Amino acid sequence: MVQYNFKNITVVPNGKDFIDIILSRTQRQTPTVVHKGYAISRLRQFYMRKVKYTQTNYYDKLSTIIDEFPRLDDIHPFYGDLLHVLYNKDHYKLALGQINTARNLISKIAKDYVRLLKYGDSLYRCKCLKVAALGRMCTVIKRVAPSLAYLEQIRQHMARLPSIDPNTRTVLICGYPNVGKSSFINKITRADVDVQPYAFTTKSLFVGHTDYKYLRYQVIDTPGILDRPFEDRNIIEMCSITALAHLRAAVLFFLDISGSCGYTIAQQAALFHSIKSLFMNKPLTIVCNKTDLQPLESLSEEDMKLVMEMKAEAMKTVVGQGGEPTDDQGVLLTMSTLTEDGVIAVKNAACERLLDQRVEIKMKSKKINDCLNRFHVAIPKPRDQKERPPCIPQAVLEAKAKQAAEKEKRKTEKDLENENGGAGVYSASLKKNYILANDEWKEDVLPEILDGHNVYDFIDPDILQRLEELEQEEGLRQAEEVDDDFEMDGKELTPEEQQALAEIRKKKSLLIQQHRIKKSTAESRPIVPRKFDKDKQFTTRRMGRQLSALGLDPSKAIDRARSRSRGRKRERSPANDGGDAMDMDVDTPNKRLRMRSRSRSRSVSRPPGELVPGEGFRDSAQKVKAQKLAKKSSKKRNKDARRGEADRVIPTLKPKHLFSGKRSSGKTDRR
Amino acid sequence: MPQGDYIDLHRKRYGYRLDHFERKRKKEAREVHKRSQIAQKALGIKGKMFAKKRYAEKAQMKKTLAMHEESSTRRKVDDDVSKGAVPAYLLDRENTTRAKVLSNTIKQKRKEKAGKWEVPLPKVRPVAEDEMFKVLRTGKRKTKQWKRMITKATFVGPAFTRKPPKYERFIRPSGLRFTKAHVTHPELKCTFNLDIIGVKKNPNGQMYTSLGVMTRGTIIEVNVSELGLVTPAGKVVWGKYAQVTNNPENDGCINAVLLV
């Protein structure tokens, strides 16, 4: 796992839920209907499918569990050791092994039962075999349930482990409990580690990131270590020891010289000497913290001696890295996290030493040799003894000298930034060069709303002048408007024109009113097409009225409209008929007339029991009997069990099928 | 990325939401209604499973409530009479118990001679021949019907070799051959997976016994060396009889009860 992100492991369900999930999935995703009468091969296939489907699901889910949990031997030894310390490697491996065994057992069960199903010769037998197969698979999972619960707990804990990259630049902080390690990391990174006055506040590793010289460094905060023999250490201390042992990092050993952590310098020095084997090949810095309570210079003789001993040890690591034996600027540092005095210096020193060490190692490694071989600086061979120094024009030299002087004179923002901790830590004050009437106003916060007005609306130096201009424009425009109004009414109309105008307006308003009525009721009322003319608006009379109002003669138009309308009864005269219906019988008009005039006489029927020769009855009594039988057989059965029409017996007052059961949708209020 | 116990840390620093406890209380109170709604609305297999689970819970609840409500009443105390207790007027008499001591082996020998054994399943449903055998049609025109395939579980010994296929009449398919049985000890109440040594007797007929067919009620001999039983003489018992208690062809396994 390259990313060492344990948050992506899928949730491990607990035993019972696991079984429920798989079985309900089998029930939903495989066909459910089967009948006794199907062909035996179809029955067998139906049940075999269920067994195989269940086995496949179990196999898939168990495989994801086994694959996603990290194998302690395949990951970086730091993580392998950390997980061993936290969860006990043996337990962990056993649990995963049990899951693997369960997976194999389930596969075997499925294979056996599918083989047996081939001999199933009845629906009942196949069904029993399928039930047995599924039951056995679920029993295997039930037996393995404690392992599943254990793995789920581990997963939850692993997801909250800090994601530490073991190969990148790392700074490790260690020391006794309560010396100020977490405060330090809070100061230089954005990690928000809990800081409390009691020991072992930090119970696990925390990681934060910081920048130095455009490179990202990991800073790891460890729980405090006590001075104890190795076997007696508890899990929390073992976390720090693991980190110290496996990570190639710059180590900051914190020393509380004021003794306010509850341990003397002697005890802390003893711890240092007992774990100094872990500092092999790592750039070590001794950091004396809490100098605000007790400065380094005013320590007692013995304490000073101890500190110097520790410093000597630390110097050995400098030598080991190829640094100068007398170069002690990064080995013993003092700081105070409370007053933030020297914190940045410590960080810079540690980062610098780590960078140097890493560069050294890279230079010495084989890889760089491959690169170096490819570099070659070509120097031309001298052809004579003449000196040829580089030619720089005088003006450039002068400019360079001037620039150098200027650079020295002025302190740039960049310098300021570097002094105060670098790009991520220092934020420049952008307001310090503001030009304001009163210099004290520079750091003030600008309000956004004042007295109900937006302040930004008024930020303009010429605002008063612009206000005046606007007001002038407003005045002009208002004057123009007044003129326009008068122009409209000034036009003179003749009395006839005025009358016509009034009429037009009246008609227009009428139409509008009608349309509004129609529109408002159109939604609630279906619109009847015009041809049915519900309101009887479009009558010929109305048309006649309108035309005469306009001064035209309506009679001809009315006639034409009337002749064209459908459904009008026409008085048919024989002459008209003969002309229209060409392929009709000549007799038909007479026939129709005849039929209309004559009244119908009823047809005569036979009496009920009369014997008709062709029907096959012996005598009329037999026929009557036969008719009676026919009627009886088609009589309605008395399924209500009522004695008559007035009998209102209810055989069951509350039939079960009507009063019980759930509804798939809706409530069961009404029964 | 939050690390460590970040949830607890946040709670320690900022405390809970102002309405946290009220919301929690109300949510828990609503659970009752939600559960009842689910119980009323769940249909089909889900509804049945839920109903079953809920019934078990309710029964358990009723029991605990009844237990808590037990009032202290005076009840008659029934002391069991201990075995061998004699009334006061018979004390001080030496009673001699006369019992016939017969060793276990003699008893067994008598039973064997009689041919009667006490078994857990004295009566078993008879299995018809057409249920036991399936007719196989063979021959070029598939008209010969003298071969039979056994459709029940069988046992063949380790030294079993088939007769030449042309002549074998009864076919015991290898898929239906079993070598192990799940044997329960009636007193210890635990089950072991033991090897079958042979089929002693099948109640459906002597032909089936010779074929090695195991149906319900068959007496089989199993290898009990795992149990570590020893005779009074000091010899290790390694074979015992057991009776099959299930239908192996329906369950895919042989469950038996040891005959002690």
Side-chain angles (χ1 to χ4, degrees):
Chain A
M1 216 178 272
V2 179
Q3 200 39 22
Y4 296 110
N5 190 2
F6 298 130
K7 294 188 202 303
N8 288 338
I9 307 179
T10 40
V11 179
V12 178
N14 79 0
K16 230 184 247 184
D17 288 343
F18 199 4
I19 295 173
D20 278 344
I21 291 169
I22 301 281
L23 286 181
S24 63
R25 188 184 291 188
T26 309
Q27 194 242 345
R28 272 181 294 125
Q29 304 283 2
T30 50
T32 51
V33 178
V34 76
H35 293 300
K36 217 163 42 164
Y38 288 175
I40 187 66
S41 57
R42 190 172 165 186
L43 291 171
R44 282 186 198 142
Q45 196 200 39
F46 176 85
Y47 286 112
M48 276 201 261
R49 183 174 170 174
K50 289 203 187 260
V51 171
K52 278 193 255 183
Y53 188 80
T54 310
Q55 183 262 331
T56 317
N57 278 335
Y58 270 131
Y59 188 89
D60 288 340
K61 281 213 174 280
L62 291 173
S63 299
T64 42
I65 294 173
I66 293 171
D67 291 335
E68 286 191 351
F69 273 87
R71 259 180 242 213
L72 296 183
D73 303 321
D74 289 348
I75 53 181
H76 193 273
F78 164 63
Y79 270 104
D81 245 359
L82 186 67
L83 294 179
H84 171 54
V85 158
L86 290 170
Y87 314 127
N88 195 352
K89 189 155 66 165
D90 297 330
H91 270 173
Y92 180 83
K93 277 190 175 173
L94 263 174
L96 283 178
Q98 278 198 344
I99 304 279
N100 196 21
T101 323
R103 187 176 66 164
N104 292 340
L105 280 175
I106 289 179
S107 301
K108 228 169 27 142
I109 290 171
K111 208 161 59 144
D112 285 340
Y113 275 86
V114 162
R115 200 185 54 213
L116 274 171
L117 266 166
K118 293 196 197 136
Y119 295 103
D121 48 8
S122 68
L123 178 108
Y124 178 69
R125 189 161 156 187
C126 292
K127 186 172 179 175
C128 287
L129 284 168
K130 164 230 168 199
V131 165
L134 260 53
R136 276 176 103 164
M137 289 192 227
C138 295
T139 316
V140 169
I141 297 293
K142 253 198 264 187
R143 271 207 320 255
V144 126
S147 293
L148 289 171
Y150 172 73
L151 283 173
E152 171 60 17
Q153 282 200 342
I154 286 188
R155 183 200 70 88
Q156 283 180 359
H157 195 274
M158 270 209 284
R160 284 184 277 128
L161 286 179
S163 49
I164 298 173
D165 187 356
N167 298 319
T168 180
R169 301 161 286 274
T170 320
V171 174
L172 201 58
I173 312 175
C174 60
Y176 249 84
N178 254 349
V179 296
K181 306 187 284 298
S182 303
S183 319
F184 178 67
I185 193 176
N186 280 344
K187 286 278 178 292
I188 54 172
T189 70
R190 280 198 67 199
D192 224 348
V193 186
D194 205 18
V195 174
Q196 298 286 342
Y198 58 87
F200 288 105
T201 313
T202 311
K203 290 190 260 290
S204 63
L205 300 174
F206 283 90
V207 74
H209 295 85
T210 181
D211 296 316
Y212 177 74
K213 283 193 178 169
Y214 307 106
L215 288 171
R216 193 133 253 228
Y217 286 75
Q218 278 181 141
V219 184
I220 299 185
D221 179 24
T222 66
I225 318 172
L226 294 172
D227 190 15
R228 285 204 278 211
F230 186 75
E231 302 78 32
D232 292 348
R233 292 200 187 277
N234 59 25
I235 296 180
I236 301 178
E237 290 170 344
M238 281 306 292
C239 285
S240 345
I241 303 285
T242 311
L244 271 173
H246 288 284
L247 294 173
R248 274 185 1 207
V251 180
L252 292 171
F253 186 85
F254 268 52
L255 202 55
D256 179 4
I257 48 181
S258 70
S260 62
C261 63
Y263 306 98
T264 62
I265 296 192
Q267 286 172 310
Q268 297 181 46
L271 171 70
F272 179 85
H273 290 294
S274 67
I275 59 172
K276 66 184 171 194
S277 56
L278 291 168
F279 300 145
M280 206 81 68
N281 295 335
K282 300 189 173 94
L284 174 64
T285 306
I286 317 274
V287 179
C288 300
N289 198 12
K290 306 195 188 173
T291 48
D292 52 313
L293 295 172
Q294 162 110 8
L296 182 64
E297 291 74 27
S298 57
L299 270 183
S300 66
E301 273 294 322
E302 312 92 57
D303 290 339
M304 207 50 170
K305 203 161 58 121
L306 290 166
V307 173
M308 284 306 138
E309 267 176 38
M310 289 202 280
K311 182 175 171 182
E313 279 291 333
M315 292 291 284
K316 286 195 206 154
T317 61
V318 177
V319 172
Q321 270 143 46
E324 312 290 311
T326 52
D327 176 22
D328 64 347
Q329 51 167 273
V331 181
L332 182 68
L333 298 163
T334 61
M335 70 167 196
S336 165
T337 46
L338 194 63
T339 59
E340 298 190 35
D341 173 35
V343 167
I344 306 287
V346 167
K347 172 197 122 178
N348 288 348
C351 292
E352 187 69 44
R353 285 189 59 194
L354 181 66
L355 194 59
D356 287 340
Q357 190 209 27
R358 281 174 79 98
V359 166
E360 280 277 332
I361 290 176
K362 280 219 170 89
M363 296 279 276
K364 286 193 203 148
S365 76
K366 282 196 257 178
K367 279 199 244 181
I368 195 75
N369 280 336
D370 295 335
C371 294
L372 273 178
N373 283 340
R374 296 195 212 133
F375 294 137
H376 175 68
V377 179
I379 302 174
K381 225 173 14 171
R383 56 184 170 149
D384 55 20
Q385 300 298 318
K386 197 164 167 200
E387 277 276 324
R388 291 190 175 86
C391 172
I392 304 175
Q394 191 60 21
V396 172
L397 274 174
E398 283 172 17
K400 258 197 179 166
K402 210 164 50 169
Q403 214 183 41
E406 226 181 64
K407 233 172 121 170
E408 280 167 16
K409 258 194 286 178
R410 215 187 92 185
K411 195 173 192 189
T412 57
E413 286 291 333
K414 198 93 177 99
D415 293 336
L416 204 55
E417 193 184 70
N418 280 335
E419 268 174 33
N420 286 340
V425 180
Y426 170 78
S427 60
S429 146
L430 298 164
K431 295 187 183 177
K432 73 178 179 194
N433 287 333
Y434 278 3
I435 305 168
L436 294 168
N438 185 351
D439 269 344
E440 286 170 16
W441 296 344
K442 272 190 200 172
E443 296 295 323
D444 285 351
V445 175
L446 190 63
E448 286 178 19
I449 299 179
L450 193 65
D451 291 343
H453 298 286
N454 252 346
V455 168
Y456 276 104
D457 291 343
F458 295 93
I459 296 184
D460 190 349
D462 309 324
I463 188 125
L464 292 166
Q465 192 190 15
R466 287 193 199 282
L467 189 61
E468 268 187 46
E469 283 175 15
L470 272 172
E471 279 181 2
Q472 272 185 0
E473 268 188 56
E474 269 297 313
L476 285 170
R477 203 178 284 158
Q478 273 187 3
E480 277 179 15
E481 262 181 35
V482 170
D483 290 332
D484 278 336
D485 272 345
F486 278 120
E487 245 184 56
M488 260 298 293
D489 278 0
K491 250 209 200 135
E492 288 295 339
L493 292 168
T494 59
E496 297 92 12
E497 285 177 354
Q498 275 183 1
Q499 209 184 19
L501 183 65
E503 271 188 40
I504 290 173
R505 283 189 179 153
K506 204 165 65 172
K507 192 127 187 238
K508 195 172 174 183
S509 67
L510 259 176
L511 280 174
I512 289 174
Q513 260 181 39
Q514 262 188 358
H515 178 70
R516 280 195 186 140
I517 292 172
K518 232 181 19 175
K519 204 171 69 163
S520 66
T521 54
E523 284 148 22
S524 53
R525 212 180 45 176
I527 300 174
V528 182
R530 187 181 158 153
K531 64 179 179 180
F532 295 122
D533 193 17
K534 207 159 63 90
D535 296 328
K536 300 252 187 287
Q537 276 183 321
F538 302 102
T539 56
T540 45
R541 218 176 291 164
R542 183 168 170 243
M543 188 173 78
R545 243 188 292 137
Q546 282 183 339
L547 286 174
S548 44
L550 285 174
L552 302 162
D553 183 23
S555 49
K556 264 202 157 171
I558 290 173
D559 282 337
R560 252 190 39 208
R562 283 199 181 145
S563 76
R564 281 231 180 121
S565 67
R566 291 192 327 170
R568 286 209 137 239
K569 271 197 256 180
R570 266 189 282 167
E571 292 300 330
R572 294 207 181 200
S573 52
N576 270 353
D577 246 0
D580 281 348
M582 284 209 282
D583 44 0
M584 258 165 56
D585 212 344
V586 184
D587 272 337
T588 31
N590 294 332
K591 208 185 200 173
R592 251 196 246 146
L593 287 170
R594 242 195 291 140
M595 276 177 59
R596 269 205 209 140
S597 57
R598 211 197 289 169
S599 66
R600 286 191 177 208
S601 58
R602 293 179 62 232
S603 59
V604 184
S605 58
R606 297 176 196 279
E610 194 190 304
L611 204 60
V612 175
E615 278 176 356
F617 290 111
R618 199 177 47 232
D619 51 12
S620 84
Q622 200 190 43
K623 184 172 179 183
V624 163
K625 193 164 177 214
Q627 279 172 351
K628 260 199 191 158
L629 278 176
K631 270 209 197 127
K632 242 196 204 170
S633 73
S634 61
K635 201 159 95 172
K636 217 171 155 184
R637 280 182 63 194
N638 185 14
K639 288 191 191 154
D640 299 337
R642 293 193 297 165
R643 273 186 262 125
E645 281 174 358
D647 186 11
R648 282 192 249 138
V649 160
I650 302 172
T652 43
L653 280 170
K654 285 198 168 192
K656 187 172 175 191
H657 69 283
L658 295 176
F659 284 91
S660 70
K662 297 178 188 171
R663 294 215 183 137
S664 61
S665 70
K667 299 194 270 189
T668 47
D669 275 359
R670 298 181 285 272
R671 287 288 192 189
Chain B
M1 219 175 339
Q3 16 181 358
D5 290 330
Y6 59 96
I7 299 175
D8 292 331
L9 188 61
H10 185 277
R11 282 215 177 124
K12 206 159 64 156
R13 284 185 183 163
Y14 305 107
Y16 291 97
R17 281 174 71 134
L18 292 169
D19 54 2
H20 169 88
F21 292 106
E22 185 177 332
R23 268 164 51 129
K24 191 168 168 190
R25 177 184 61 83
K26 285 181 89 102
K27 188 165 185 180
E28 277 160 23
R30 256 181 272 135
E31 288 305 317
V32 182
H33 296 281
K34 252 189 164 326
R35 189 177 51 195
S36 124
Q37 199 189 44
I38 293 172
Q40 288 174 28
K41 291 210 164 219
L43 295 172
I45 187 82
K46 257 195 200 165
K48 285 186 195 163
M49 282 171 59
F50 184 84
K52 184 168 171 201
K53 200 166 66 159
R54 186 77 187 129
Y55 177 77
E57 279 175 27
K58 282 190 177 171
Q60 189 60 37
M61 244 196 296
K62 267 198 175 163
K63 275 194 206 151
T64 35
L65 283 173
M67 220 164 57
H68 284 304
E69 275 179 4
E70 253 176 18
S71 50
S72 56
T73 52
R74 291 190 303 161
R75 291 209 184 98
K76 196 168 93 173
V77 170
D78 244 335
D79 282 333
D80 287 325
V81 181
S82 53
K83 218 176 171 191
V86 288
Y89 54 84
L90 283 180
L91 282 173
D92 288 344
R93 289 203 189 185
E94 277 176 10
N95 270 342
T96 49
T97 43
R98 262 179 267 265
K100 285 199 208 159
V101 178
L102 285 175
S103 72
N104 214 9
T105 36
I106 299 178
K107 278 193 198 159
Q108 273 202 344
K109 285 210 179 108
R110 277 195 192 164
K111 272 202 198 151
E112 251 187 66
K113 236 206 281 190
K116 272 198 191 309
W117 290 85
E118 210 177 76
V119 284
L121 299 174
K123 281 206 199 128
V124 154
R125 187 181 71 97
V127 178
E129 208 178 283
D130 56 350
E131 195 183 328
M132 183 74 82
F133 298 127
K134 182 172 156 220
V135 178
L136 289 180
R137 286 171 167 260
T138 52
K140 201 171 187 185
R141 315 263 176 256
K142 300 277 188 254
T143 48
K144 299 194 183 188
Q145 292 182 45
W146 54 275
K147 280 191 183 241
R148 299 281 183 275
M149 182 173 89
I150 296 178
T151 59
K152 305 275 181 195
T154 56
F155 172 76
V156 296
F160 173 75
T161 28
R162 292 164 63 188
K163 273 173 42 179
K166 183 166 176 176
Y167 299 110
E168 68 178 341
R169 182 154 171 220
F170 294 105
I171 296 179
R172 283 164 278 196
S174 59
L176 288 173
R177 290 184 200 160
F178 289 91
T179 49
K180 282 184 170 262
H182 306 313
V183 182
T184 312
H185 196 291
E187 264 122 58
L188 299 175
K189 303 275 187 226
C190 50
T191 315
F192 305 94
N193 203 10
L194 305 175
D195 281 323
I196 305 176
I197 300 172
V199 174
K200 174 76 179 163
K201 186 163 168 55
N202 191 316
N204 292 113
Q206 169 251 7
M207 176 174 62
Y208 301 130
T209 313
S210 63
L211 282 173
V213 174
M214 291 184 286
T215 54
R216 193 174 138 101
T218 313
I219 311 287
I220 55 176
E221 196 174 353
V222 288
N223 182 346
V224 293
S225 48
E226 215 179 88
L227 301 176
L229 302 169
V230 180
T231 59
K235 299 211 188 113
V236 174
V237 177
W238 75 281
K240 257 190 167 308
Y241 291 132
Q243 187 180 31
V244 177
T245 52
N246 75 329
N247 287 320
E249 69 275 4
N250 285 350
D251 297 330
C253 57
I254 301 182
N255 298 342
V257 131
L258 200 61
L259 300 175
V260 283

